Amino acid sequence: MTRITRRGFATLGAATVLGCALPLRYAKAAEFTFKLGTNVPETHPLNIYLRKASAQIAEQTNGRFDLQLFPNNQLGGDSDMFSQLRSGALESFMLSGVNVLSTLIPSASIYGLGFAFKDYQALWSALDGKLGIHLRGQINKAGLMVMDRIWDNGFREITTSTKPIKDPGDLQGFKIRVPVSALWTSLFKSLGAAPTAINFAEVYSALQTRIVDGQENPPAIISAAKLFEVQKYCSLTNHMWDGWWFLMNRRAWEPLPADIKETVARIVNAQCVAEREEVARQNTALKADLAAKGLIFNEVDPAPFREQLRKAGFYTEWRGKFGEEAWSILEESTGKLA
């Protein structure tokens, strides 16, 4: 009978609990172990495709590299995990550039600028191209490592309990929940709304008790959080996009052998592309599912919203914050904003 050491048993047990137990030939402790934190539920495509990446990496490195996934804030909130990543207590972390990362790198949130990208084609062209190269360069200068591809969370839509949002006039004085983020608050104030920053765990009750009359999120979040139960309309504004960078602690990543680095990066980036396709597919399917549950959808022309943001000085303000270099690269993909 093969003897399993206490260390090996603990490693195997942890992998089993996380739903990614290695085959028996990998039961011994890996040479290299990276913990990976995410902030979305187990069933989100982000975690599903990260688990696939973990399994493929174990297979193709013959068990030498173990990517251990901790979804749904198991290791703490975004700020906590980001602090752990920077200190080296956490080797890798999936993080949005629009929220916590922008506190370290102001330009990191530029891809979330309101009504900047008209569709996925324009978005991926920018983030897999010159804009993505620029942003990854800024992340590397800040002392972190980052994979080449950014994972998809989706374009965000506005839901309301009172009326559909068809043009900027419908947002005048409208009480809407936004994440705790300067960019979100600035966007909706510039559109004439009355944004209130509320943590996501409190959104359902805030809508139910009419503290706010609306919120904004991608369809996958609207469905998973059952917001259709307390909202009547969904306006397809596509006003912002957000995603996750695969970040790594530099001191953990750099010493890895070149063949391990190549395998991990290749597999993670390939699964990222697959996750993007799945999120796009789910968002299309979810719209039909949410409509069947009573949510009323309407299309939105983004042009009047962009014009309102120009008049309010929104783009000029954020151009100053992001800097001329990042802004000029952005406008190569979006066209002139300010």
Side-chain angles (χ1 to χ4, degrees):
M1 179 179 293
T2 302
R3 180 174 176 268
I4 300 177
T5 65
R6 179 178 298 177
R7 181 182 179 190
F9 181 80
T11 301
L12 179 59
T16 302
V17 169
L18 292 170
C20 53
L22 300 176
L24 287 178
R25 64 182 181 278
Y26 306 138
K28 66 180 181 180
E31 290 180 53
F32 311 101
T33 299
F34 269 42
K35 299 185 297 295
L36 172 63
T38 79
N39 63 0
V40 290
E42 175 73 33
T43 55
H44 192 283
L46 176 70
N47 292 315
I48 291 172
Y49 284 86
L50 285 172
R51 289 206 185 283
K52 291 182 179 182
S54 175
Q56 289 182 3
I57 290 168
E59 178 70 27
Q60 294 188 30
T61 64
N62 198 31
R64 294 174 63 201
F65 190 96
D66 185 12
L67 182 64
Q68 297 182 351
L69 181 62
F70 294 82
N72 205 28
N73 294 312
Q74 289 180 22
L75 302 180
D78 281 355
S79 296
D80 291 334
M81 286 192 280
F82 191 44
S83 177
Q84 293 171 45
L85 179 78
R86 297 183 71 191
S87 72
L90 180 61
E91 293 82 10
S92 49
F93 176 34
M94 306 299 297
L95 182 62
S96 159
V98 179
N99 289 319
V100 178
L101 187 58
S102 64
T103 63
L104 176 66
I105 307 164
S107 63
S109 64
I110 194 168
Y111 62 70
L113 196 72
F115 295 94
F117 293 101
K118 63 180 181 178
D119 54 29
Y120 270 123
Q121 182 177 351
L123 177 77
W124 296 138
S125 176
L127 288 174
D128 290 339
K130 193 172 179 180
L131 181 62
I133 291 170
H134 172 78
L135 293 177
R136 293 194 300 276
Q138 295 300 306
I139 292 170
N140 289 331
K141 286 180 183 177
L144 299 169
M145 301 299 294
V146 59
M147 291 293 181
D148 289 344
R149 306 280 185 175
I150 187 169
W151 297 59
D152 190 17
N153 190 18
F155 280 97
R156 303 174 77 91
E157 323 293 2
I158 298 175
T159 68
T160 71
S161 59
T162 55
K163 60 184 178 182
I165 304 300
K166 298 178 180 178
D167 56 54
D170 293 322
L171 284 172
Q172 297 305 303
F174 184 76
K175 296 185 296 181
I176 185 168
R177 176 267 174 180
V178 296
V180 183
S181 163
L183 183 59
W184 262 281
T185 300
S186 173
L187 170 66
F188 282 97
K189 279 187 175 180
S190 297
L191 290 171
T196 300
I198 299 174
N199 288 322
F200 187 72
E202 303 167 16
V203 170
Y204 187 99
S205 61
L207 293 168
Q208 190 175 40
T209 57
R210 293 294 182 91
I211 292 175
V212 289
D213 293 320
Q215 66 85 51
E216 48 80 66
N217 259 303
I221 302 296
I222 295 168
S223 177
K226 299 186 183 300
L227 300 183
F228 56 85
E229 294 178 349
V230 287
Q231 299 281 267
K232 184 176 181 180
Y233 302 98
C234 182
S235 302
L236 300 175
T237 49
N238 290 337
H239 56 275
M240 294 176 74
W241 178 86
D242 197 10
W244 296 278
W245 289 112
F246 191 117
L247 303 177
M248 294 159 293
N249 176 275
R250 184 186 296 276
R251 295 184 300 278
W253 176 256
E254 286 190 338
L256 295 177
D259 63 321
I260 294 288
K261 287 181 181 178
E262 187 280 328
T263 300
V264 172
R266 172 172 46 80
I267 291 172
V268 166
N269 288 324
Q271 289 299 332
C272 171
V273 173
E275 184 265 358
R276 292 176 180 180
E277 294 171 354
E278 176 62 14
V279 169
R281 187 196 66 77
Q282 282 195 17
N283 281 339
T284 299
L286 282 171
K287 288 171 186 174
D289 181 60
L290 289 167
K293 292 176 179 175
L295 203 59
I296 301 171
F297 286 84
N298 67 282
E299 299 286 340
V300 173
D301 178 5
F305 291 86
R306 269 192 173 189
E307 184 58 30
Q308 173 63 30
L309 292 176
R310 288 192 187 98
K311 289 180 180 178
F314 172 81
Y315 293 123
T316 301
E317 174 190 354
W318 285 94
R319 178 177 185 167
K321 292 181 178 180
F322 291 141
E324 287 301 317
E325 182 181 10
W327 191 266
S328 63
I329 295 172
L330 173 71
E331 288 192 331
E332 287 180 21
S333 299
T334 64
K336 189 168 179 59
L337 295 168

